[in-house]
């Protein structure tokens, strides 16, 4: 898939903004505060219905505007399509002028986002990596994020109950939340397990290098995983959860360890960590291609932050087939299409 044209109005510092991208390597360069990350954020919004930053949608509206409008023309294997995201009285998205939810828009545009200056979050904060894996899985199983949202909604209600239990514990209500959590959680854990296996196989196939992700579901046992086994785990932990007033098991606490030659990736230098993460992204791109017979659009913010020439060449060579939309403060002629953003945009 490929973004041919992007139009933005009233979004962050971008007003009456329009850009025609090339089909391969695009670089948006400009001084700090010119709006580079905002362009990437607008593309991410079209794919996922939200920002990659923890902000309320209203905060994305330009200080002097009452709403925003983002529109992209996309070419993918189903032809040319238009996606729009608007915030007027409320937020809504459209695919070819029909209202759409994010599981439909990511069918047309799947933005694969890598922040080259904040990549260490994926390594240092498990919640970030878990979200990244969830977005990856969503790219190849379009209903997966609905499962995750459903699970999170149920979990919220269970946690509410645990906080408010006080002296009169409603065991039957807790049991019924655990029943639906077990059913919904089982789907998530099974999909995560299968996906991590596929991703590890792809890493091995492409790089023939000892890099793998170990997945540890936050359950008492995963030997014979089923809705029943998860429900039994939740029963075993029930008293501790009541005492601690919160949920202690389930996909929201799953762990993923990135291992390089048997060592945790945390032990490597920041440039090495970036390269290993890039390898994971590269393997994902090939997996995406295998599953969807298409490529995602690769968004790389501050692509050259802390990257030496070798890593940069790796990036350029390895991602030669897909559309890249990268940003940097510096111009680089290695990109076929260069766009300069000025501060007043
Ligand atoms: N809602 C908003 N309305 C208007 N301007 C905003 C809004 N939100 C953020 N900005 C401003 O938009 C500008 C562009 O921010 P952005 O993060 O896109 O810049 P950038 O080009 O990526 O900069 P850097 O090189 O520092 O990463 C900043 O000056 C920021 O303060
Ligand atoms: Mg930026």
């Amino acid at each position: 898939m490929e973004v041919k044209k992007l139009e933005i109005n009233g979004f962050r510092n971008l007003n009456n903004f329009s850009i025609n991208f090339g089909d391969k390597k695009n670089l948006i360069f400009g001084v700090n505060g010119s709006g580079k990350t905002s362009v990437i954020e607008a593309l991410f919004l079209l794919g996922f219905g939200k920002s990659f930053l923890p902000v309320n949608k209203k905060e994305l509206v330009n200080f002097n505007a009452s709403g925003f409008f983002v529109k992209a023309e996309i070419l993918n294997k189903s032809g040319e399509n238009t996606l729009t995201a608007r915030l007027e009285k409320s937020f809504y998205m459209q695919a070819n002028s029909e209202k759409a939810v994010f599981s439909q828009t990511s069918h047309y545009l799947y933005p694969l986002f890598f922040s080259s200056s904040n990549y260490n979050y994926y390594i240092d904060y498990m919640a970030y990596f878990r979200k990244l894996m969830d977005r990856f899985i969503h790219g190849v199983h379009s209903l997966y994020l609905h499962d995750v949202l459903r699970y999170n909604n149920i979990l919220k209600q269970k946690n509410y109950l645990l906080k408010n239990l006080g002296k009169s514990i409603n065991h039957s209500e807790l049991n019924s939340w655990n029943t639906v959590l077990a059913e919904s959680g089982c789907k998530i854990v099974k999909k995560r397990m299968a996906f991590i296996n596929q991703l590890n196989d792809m890493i091995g196939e492409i790089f023939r290098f000892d890099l793998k992700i170990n997945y540890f579901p936050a359950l008492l046992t995963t030997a014979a995983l089923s809705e029943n086994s998860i429900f039994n785990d939740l029963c075993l932990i029930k008293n501790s959860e009541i005492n601690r007033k919160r949920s202690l098991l389930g996909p929201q606490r799953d762990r993923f360890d990135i291992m390089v030659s048997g060592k945790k990736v945390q032990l490597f230098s920041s440039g090495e960590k970036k390269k290993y993460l890039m390898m994971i992204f590269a393997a994902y791109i090939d997996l995406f291609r295998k599953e969807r017979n298409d490529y995602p659009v690769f968004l790389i913010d501050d692509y050259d932050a802390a990257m030496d020439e070798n890593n940069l060449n790796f990036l350029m060579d390895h991602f030669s087939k897909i559309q890249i939309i990268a940003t940097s403060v510096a111009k680089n002629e290695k990109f076929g299409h260069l766009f300069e953003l000025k501060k007043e945009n």
Side-chain angles (χ1 to χ4, degrees):
M1 50 184 71
E2 176 195 328
V3 183
K4 295 189 80 85
K5 183 173 184 181
L6 179 67
E7 293 172 78
I8 300 175
N9 200 20
F11 182 89
R12 298 279 195 190
N13 68 329
L14 303 167
N15 287 309
N16 300 316
F17 175 86
S18 170
I19 188 166
N20 290 296
F21 292 109
D23 62 347
K24 292 281 153 25
K25 291 176 187 136
N26 299 272
L27 177 66
I28 302 169
F29 68 97
V31 295
N32 295 140
S34 54
K36 305 177 296 293
T37 301
S38 305
V39 175
I40 301 288
E41 193 179 26
L43 286 165
F44 186 95
L45 177 81
L46 288 173
F48 292 102
K50 60 180 194 176
S51 169
F52 44 70
L53 295 168
V55 287
N56 185 300
K57 286 199 191 71
K58 290 205 171 94
E59 295 172 84
L60 301 171
V61 177
N62 182 268
F63 300 144
N64 300 316
S66 55
F68 66 69
F69 170 78
V70 178
K71 175 180 173 188
E73 284 168 24
I74 293 137
L75 181 67
N76 63 9
K77 62 180 167 50
S78 68
E80 291 214 6
N81 296 283
T82 306
L83 288 183
T84 54
R86 277 175 223 262
L87 189 115
E88 288 165 347
K89 281 192 183 115
S90 61
F91 175 76
Y92 65 99
M93 290 194 292
Q94 289 177 309
N96 299 324
S97 310
E98 300 279 328
K99 277 213 172 178
V101 293
F102 70 87
S103 56
Q104 292 163 312
T105 63
S106 64
H107 172 74
Y108 300 107
L109 173 66
Y110 182 83
L112 184 62
F113 169 68
F114 186 82
S115 167
S116 208
S117 38
N118 295 332
Y119 68 94
N120 49 324
Y121 286 5
Y122 295 133
I123 290 166
D124 296 336
Y125 303 105
M126 191 42 62
Y128 273 78
F129 195 75
R130 213 182 288 123
K131 270 192 192 151
L132 178 70
M133 290 303 104
D134 282 345
R135 285 206 301 269
F136 274 13
I137 302 172
H138 171 70
V140 289
H141 300 285
S142 64
L143 290 176
Y144 173 74
L145 276 188
H146 283 287
D147 293 339
V148 175
L149 287 178
R150 178 166 182 266
Y151 179 89
N152 288 342
N153 278 335
I154 306 165
L155 185 67
K156 220 185 260 173
Q157 316 218 40
K158 175 179 160 181
N159 279 335
Y160 183 78
L161 177 73
L162 285 169
K163 275 202 186 78
N164 286 281
L165 277 174
K167 282 181 188 136
S168 55
I169 296 165
N170 187 339
H171 282 273
S172 83
E173 193 181 342
L174 190 54
N175 276 343
S176 56
W177 288 132
N178 281 344
T179 308
V180 273
L181 278 178
E183 175 240 318
S184 176
C186 186
K187 278 191 197 164
I188 295 172
V189 174
K190 281 187 172 166
K191 282 192 178 153
R192 285 180 179 172
M193 272 179 173
F195 174 77
I196 294 298
N197 282 337
Q198 278 182 299
L199 191 60
N200 283 333
D201 287 349
M202 193 55 92
I203 295 170
E205 211 176 286
I206 312 176
F207 296 108
R208 311 209 167 278
F209 179 79
D210 191 4
L211 165 68
K212 65 184 288 211
I213 300 169
N214 287 336
Y215 170 47
F216 301 99
L219 298 168
L220 298 180
T221 166
T222 52
L225 180 75
S226 67
E227 288 175 21
N228 272 344
S229 75
I230 299 183
F231 182 75
N232 290 339
D233 283 359
L234 291 171
C235 289
L236 286 171
I237 201 103
K238 193 159 102 180
N239 285 336
S240 307
E241 291 193 326
I242 291 169
N243 289 336
R244 306 267 296 271
K245 295 185 187 295
R246 62 194 175 94
S247 301
L248 298 174
L249 284 185
Q252 76 282 6
R253 297 168 74 98
D254 283 357
R255 212 179 84 224
F256 299 84
D257 286 346
I258 308 173
M259 307 299 290
V260 180
S261 306
K263 296 188 192 71
K264 281 194 179 179
V265 77
Q266 279 86 346
L267 296 170
F268 291 81
S269 82
S270 54
E272 287 168 330
K273 284 176 192 160
K274 188 177 286 186
K275 175 152 185 190
Y276 299 139
L277 269 179
M278 276 287 178
M279 287 164 74
I280 293 173
F281 273 70
Y284 177 68
I285 287 167
D286 280 16
L287 188 58
F288 187 98
R289 157 90 185 165
K290 197 169 149 190
E291 296 290 315
R292 289 185 52 170
N293 193 25
D294 205 347
Y295 286 114
V297 172
F298 199 10
L299 310 175
I300 315 177
D301 201 21
D302 296 319
Y303 83 96
D304 50 352
M307 264 216 180
D308 66 16
E309 198 62 22
N310 268 349
N311 271 354
L312 221 54
N313 289 338
F314 165 80
L315 182 77
M316 288 295 174
D317 296 343
H318 201 86
F319 302 105
S320 60
K321 291 194 214 106
I322 65 170
Q323 186 184 38
I324 295 182
I325 301 175
T327 75
S328 169
V329 287
K331 193 173 173 178
N332 186 332
E333 304 288 345
K334 280 185 183 164
F335 288 80
H337 290 84
L338 297 166
F339 307 90
E340 183 169 13
L341 274 192
K342 301 268 199 253
K343 188 119 190 191
E344 67 272 13
N345 267 317

